[in-house]
Amino acid sequence: MRTLLFRSLIATPLSQPVPKPAADALSAALGAQLDRAAQRRLGRSVAIRALDAGSCNGCELELNALGNAFYDLERFGLRFVASPRHADVLLVTGPVTANMREALERTYQAMPGPKWVVAAGACAIDGGIFAGSYAVHGGAGAVLPVDLRLPGCPPRPLELLQGLLALMEPSSASRPSARAWSDLRLG
Amino acid sequence: MGTLREALATGAPVTTQAPWPRVVVDAAGWSALGEALAEGALGLSGLWGEAEAVHAALFDEPAAEFAVATLACPEGRFPSLGRRHAAAIRPERAIRDLVGLVAQAAPDDRPWLDHGRWPVRAPLGRKLPPGPAAPYAFLPAEGEGLHRMAVGPVHAGIIEPGHFRFAVNGETVVRLETRLGYTHKGIEALMQGATIEHAACLAGRVSGDSTVAYALAFARAAEAALGVAVPERAHWLRALMAELERLANHLGDIGAICNDAGFALMLTHCAILRERVLRTADACFGHRLMRDLVVPGGVALDLAAPAGVHDLCAEIGRQFPRLVALYEGTASLQDRTCGTGVVAPGLARRFAAGGYIGRASGRDFDARRRPGYPPYDQLRFEVPVFENGDVDARVWVRIREVEQSLSLLQQILLAMPGGPVRVPLPLRGGEGVALVEGFRGDILVWLSLDEAGRVRRCHLRDPSWFQWPLVEAAIEGNIVADFPLCNKSFNCSYSGHDL
Ligand code: SF4
């Protein structure tokens, strides 16, 4: 174990730079979906409660990937929390199934205000390929007010990250502090 | 002649199905199959219904024979197989929920997938109006000092929804009862009437972590139904994707299991390797999970950058042995995984539990071998089998399978033939069945096409159907704090099971 830890110490970091210009355009487009007050309020720390409303588990795989050394989402002040009572943002994946609707609503109700809802993935946006099934209500918007939609099946981790950054201060990707941080990490 | 053929000898063969025989039996023949299952002479690989018939996919392990038995149910009932063979209980409950056929004298007649929230009952059968919603009757557990703990459907981490009801005595779990069905999306109903192409996309979204394996199982069933042979190169590309998928999932699981034992270092390193696999898949095929790339008739596109796979194998080949040494050499980690969550070999056999769960409990079964499919007949690989049946054994099966997948990937790159990768499909009817080894275990797809080549009925059976019940057995007598560890070592699919 010691060798492994030592190797990690001298290895170059894997973390990706903060999403760059192309990403800025996307962030801006995503940011435009949000009202600026939301961004001001959330500032630079966002607690996210992820909720699978009936996904195929593909979206969860990419959400989990956000925690790996490449994306390392906590360096941006983004954090997944266990309790809805600690959350600012409810991040919904999957179509809302009839069997999950109540759990979704109750999770949302358990969150303190102000709160925001992000629909991640094609299914959470409008039910995706499962829309129209007897067992599916549609996207998260069929049940809750959605503030931000992140397309993809599943969205790539980088796309998720860009989207979540848009929740924070406007054009957070070009914020001096964020840039300095990423430069530091890249050595 | 094997037991299976003998058991089906009196039935009427149906000629439209390929490649396994399908035989229509009468009620007595059906009950006889139940006896053969109870005695362990046959194994159950799937049990599903249509509006007026039930089908059972059966196999005879020593003889490597597979077949489907059908019983017509004009009166809406059939003799329960679950009465004698526990693995059939949940599928029978699902049949009742989805098509409305009733298993007579079934040991458990509670609904399973239907939580009383759909606008219709028996959506794949008579489509009845919904009844009054009744609270779910959990099994009783009574005794001095027992208390109940309800967990879910929403869990703390980023995982799928399901409900666990524990009866505990102090720290010790006396009984666990799972309740599933929360992610039921009605996939089989969405498939009815769909084109093969659209149904293939649905199949690839039954369980996202196994999208390649599902797409492959569906494609093979469709090709069997239509009598289509895909180009040789397509077989090899499919295997390449399937092994990348297996690699990514096993690496993720090994890390996540250790993390649930409080050893986050392993997760960090395994997650890096997993990410490398997904990035290679993205570079080669344009999608990190390789979704919608295995299609009926072949594969959607050819391999863009084989060198990337070479480099990936070399990198993992360098890093992985260090992680294995770390796993083996960390006593505090082994203390959590060894002897925890034991599945007895007899139970794994009776449930025909596939994948690392079966193989960690001595069940030597891998669909790549039997019934087998190309190009694995031309590749060298071992199927690792362990006997202990604990969390540790399930980790070891994965470790060995990572090594096998690396070797398979290298062999595939060396021996892959050239040529086209896809053929067009004819529009006609037929019936096909396929069994494919996903990372989690064997996936069964049964497909019936109408004359216009559209899906008449498709059933997709996730390996989790025969693994979830074993989670309940494995946790008994363990402490509550070990449940996440046990559950992660199973890593059953909720979505794949719930459909
Ligand atoms: S968007 Fe795609 S990956 Fe996400 S839940 Fe839906 S089908 Fe699965």
Side-chain angles (χ1 to χ4, degrees):
Chain A
M1 169 143 77
R2 248 174 296 150
T3 1
L4 199 75
L5 288 173
F6 183 67
R7 257 182 238 280
S8 316
L9 265 183
I10 55 172
T12 46
L14 297 166
S15 44
Q16 297 234 299
V18 178
K20 284 271 181 316
D24 266 354
L26 177 71
S27 291
L30 292 169
Q33 287 185 36
L34 288 166
D35 100 64
R36 296 184 77 90
Q39 294 174 320
R40 262 201 310 279
R41 282 223 209 210
L42 282 165
R44 288 158 61 179
S45 165
V46 179
I48 306 162
R49 169 68 235 204
L51 192 131
D52 175 344
S55 91
C56 78
N57 80 29
C59 282
E60 278 63 46
L61 293 176
E62 297 298 49
L63 283 177
N64 273 314
L66 286 176
N68 74 31
F70 292 87
Y71 306 107
D72 188 16
L73 89 163
E74 297 215 5
R75 69 187 153 140
F76 301 107
L78 296 162
R79 181 161 62 87
F80 286 109
V81 293
S83 170
R85 301 200 191 281
H86 300 163
D88 307 302
V89 169
L90 182 63
L91 189 148
V92 183
T93 56
V96 180
T97 64
N99 291 350
M100 269 308 282
R101 179 185 185 139
E102 185 188 341
L104 174 64
E105 286 170 340
R106 285 169 62 169
T107 303
Y108 181 74
Q109 282 155 14
M111 290 168 61
K115 50 191 168 185
W116 292 269
V117 177
V118 176
C123 292
I125 290 177
D126 59 5
I129 197 167
F130 306 112
S133 163
Y134 64 88
V136 164
H137 289 296
V143 179
L144 300 175
V146 174
D147 299 284
L148 182 64
R149 293 170 182 81
L150 305 176
C153 179
R156 287 157 199 269
L158 208 56
E159 292 161 359
L160 288 167
L161 199 51
Q162 288 163 355
L164 293 174
L165 286 176
L167 275 173
M168 299 159 80
E169 285 175 52
S171 64
S172 58
S174 57
R175 223 169 50 223
S177 59
R179 203 164 44 229
W181 181 221
S182 82
D183 292 348
L184 184 74
R185 290 297 289 247
L186 283 170
Chain B
M1 190 157 81
T3 331
L4 184 55
R5 260 189 267 168
E6 259 169 51
L8 295 176
T10 53
V14 177
T15 50
T16 46
Q17 179 176 300
W20 308 348
R22 179 158 82 85
V23 175
V24 178
V25 296
D26 57 14
W30 183 264
S31 298
L33 291 173
E35 291 305 311
L37 286 168
E39 286 160 14
L42 294 180
L44 184 68
S45 183
L47 182 60
W48 66 99
E50 292 189 64
E52 297 216 327
V54 277
H55 307 279
L58 303 154
F59 63 92
D60 175 349
E61 217 162 314
E65 282 175 2
F66 296 80
V68 175
T70 301
L71 172 69
C73 316
E75 270 138 44
R77 346 179 251 274
F78 61 97
S80 164
L81 297 181
R83 198 172 59 85
R84 301 279 283 123
H85 185 63
I89 295 176
R90 286 181 182 174
E92 285 178 350
R93 292 167 69 184
I95 288 173
R96 184 177 181 152
D97 290 349
L98 296 178
V99 301
L101 300 179
V102 177
Q104 282 169 296
D108 189 342
D109 60 1
R110 293 173 299 167
W112 181 238
L113 300 177
D114 186 348
H115 292 193
R117 292 163 190 263
W118 304 336
V120 55
R121 273 185 305 144
L124 289 167
R126 303 225 316 274
K127 300 193 175 61
L128 304 168
Y136 189 72
F138 284 96
L139 298 175
E142 282 167 20
E144 204 178 333
L146 282 194
H147 68 275
R148 315 287 301 258
M149 253 170 64
V151 181
V154 179
H155 301 284
I158 307 174
I159 52 169
E160 298 180 78
H163 183 90
F164 300 104
R165 191 61 70 100
F166 297 91
V168 294
N169 190 341
E171 284 288 310
T172 309
V173 178
V174 178
R175 169 184 269 166
L176 163 66
E177 189 182 357
T178 40
R179 187 184 186 201
L180 302 172
Y182 291 93
T183 70
H184 178 79
K185 295 178 272 292
I187 294 177
E188 292 185 351
L190 286 168
M191 279 201 170
Q192 288 187 319
T195 61
I196 289 193
E197 290 74 22
H198 184 69
C201 290
L202 279 163
R205 284 158 179 79
V206 171
S207 184
D209 51 16
S210 305
T211 181
V212 173
Y214 264 98
L216 179 55
F218 182 85
R220 290 190 57 79
E223 288 148 11
L226 296 169
V228 168
V230 305
E232 190 61 12
R233 186 173 172 81
H235 286 308
W236 290 75
L237 285 168
R238 288 171 168 190
L240 184 86
M241 292 186 217
E243 295 310 318
L244 283 172
E245 181 173 271
R246 199 180 321 278
L247 197 56
N249 281 306
H250 280 345
L251 286 168
D253 277 3
I254 294 168
I257 294 167
C258 295
N259 190 50
D260 276 349
F263 197 67
L265 181 64
M266 195 77 166
L267 173 66
T268 309
H269 284 276
C270 285
I272 291 169
L273 296 186
R274 176 184 156 86
E275 177 70 20
R276 292 203 190 283
V277 179
L278 299 188
R279 288 180 174 208
T280 305
D282 200 5
C284 290
F285 299 105
H287 194 287
R288 286 163 55 91
L289 306 181
M290 297 168 286
R291 183 161 266 163
D292 299 334
L293 290 167
V294 174
V295 292
V299 293
L301 47 89
D302 209 339
L303 176 61
V309 183
H310 258 302
D311 297 348
L312 175 78
C313 292
E315 169 71 8
I316 298 179
R318 259 194 313 276
Q319 304 292 345
F320 192 62
R322 289 183 195 139
L323 300 179
V324 178
L326 181 62
Y327 177 75
E328 244 176 329
T330 308
S332 60
L333 180 56
Q334 302 262 311
D335 183 45
R336 294 290 305 280
T337 58
C338 293
T340 307
V342 176
V343 175
L347 202 55
R349 203 176 43 246
R350 282 209 297 286
F351 275 79
Y356 41 77
I357 295 168
R359 293 195 279 274
S361 294
R363 182 167 179 256
D364 184 5
F365 181 87
D366 189 317
R368 293 173 294 176
R369 281 256 165 83
R370 276 167 311 181
Y373 46 94
Y376 291 100
D377 47 348
Q378 299 169 59
L379 296 166
R380 286 183 319 279
F381 66 104
E382 280 164 27
V383 177
V385 177
F386 290 76
E387 301 292 333
N388 286 350
D390 54 0
V391 173
D392 180 60
R394 289 188 283 278
V395 171
W396 274 109
V397 173
R398 287 171 167 104
I399 290 175
R400 292 285 170 253
E401 289 187 6
V402 164
E403 295 161 0
Q404 292 301 315
S405 288
L406 286 176
S407 152
L408 282 167
L409 285 168
Q410 281 157 329
Q411 293 177 51
I412 291 168
L413 288 175
L414 277 179
M416 186 155 50
V421 297
R422 190 173 184 174
V423 289
L425 295 178
L427 285 181
R428 58 169 180 255
E431 245 177 61
V433 58
L435 196 72
V436 159
E437 190 72 19
F439 88 97
R440 183 178 279 121
D442 49 292
I443 295 167
L444 176 86
V445 170
W446 182 82
L447 174 66
S448 164
L449 298 169
D450 66 18
E451 292 313 310
R454 287 184 175 254
V455 176
R456 200 180 62 74
R457 175 83 171 93
C458 179
H459 175 64
L460 310 113
R461 193 271 300 147
D462 195 85
S464 306
W465 276 99
F466 302 130
Q467 298 170 337
W468 271 120
L470 302 188
V471 176
E472 296 179 358
I475 192 64
E476 216 180 286
N478 285 252
I479 57 171
V480 180
D482 275 341
F483 178 69
L485 177 63
C486 274
N487 197 28
K488 186 51 86 180
S489 77
F490 277 76
N491 190 16
C492 296
S493 176
Y494 299 69
S495 181
H497 168 281
D498 294 350
L499 281 170

